Amino acid sequence: MTFGERLRTARKSKKLTQKELASKIGAAHNSISNWENDQNSPDPDMIQHLCWALDVQPNYFFSDEEPLRPNM
């Protein structure tokens, strides 16, 4: 599972739109789309904001194991 796939899964599990998530973390909504489509990656500070907004640990995004679901 790619970073983008994990991000999309976590966002949808929190029932957030891309625009809502972007607003929560101070990013442009097209940034969320680009990240979910693996067109580019967020910087480390933005990853921390994503973790806080989605209630996941950083390892969720980078683990080699298939996640069952994000921490909720």
Side-chain angles (χ1 to χ4, degrees):
M1 194 176 234
T2 68
F3 177 91
E5 291 168 333
R6 289 172 190 268
L7 176 57
R8 181 177 288 118
T9 298
R11 176 181 59 79
K12 287 184 174 187
S13 76
K14 290 300 223 177
K15 298 181 176 32
L16 294 171
T17 65
Q18 289 179 344
K19 189 173 183 177
E20 290 169 334
L21 177 57
S23 177
K24 279 182 157 248
I25 65 170
H29 80 278
N30 62 328
S31 294
I32 305 297
S33 176
N34 290 342
W35 299 336
E36 288 185 357
N37 291 311
D38 294 306
Q39 292 177 347
N40 56 37
S41 299
D43 63 36
D45 289 335
M46 196 57 71
I47 290 172
Q48 186 62 54
H49 291 293
L50 287 167
C51 290
W52 289 332
L54 299 172
D55 295 323
V56 297
Q57 296 296 317
N59 288 347
Y60 167 76
F61 291 119
F62 302 107
S63 175
D64 288 335
E65 297 177 18
E66 289 296 313
L68 296 176
R69 62 187 177 125
N71 296 336
M72 293 195 226

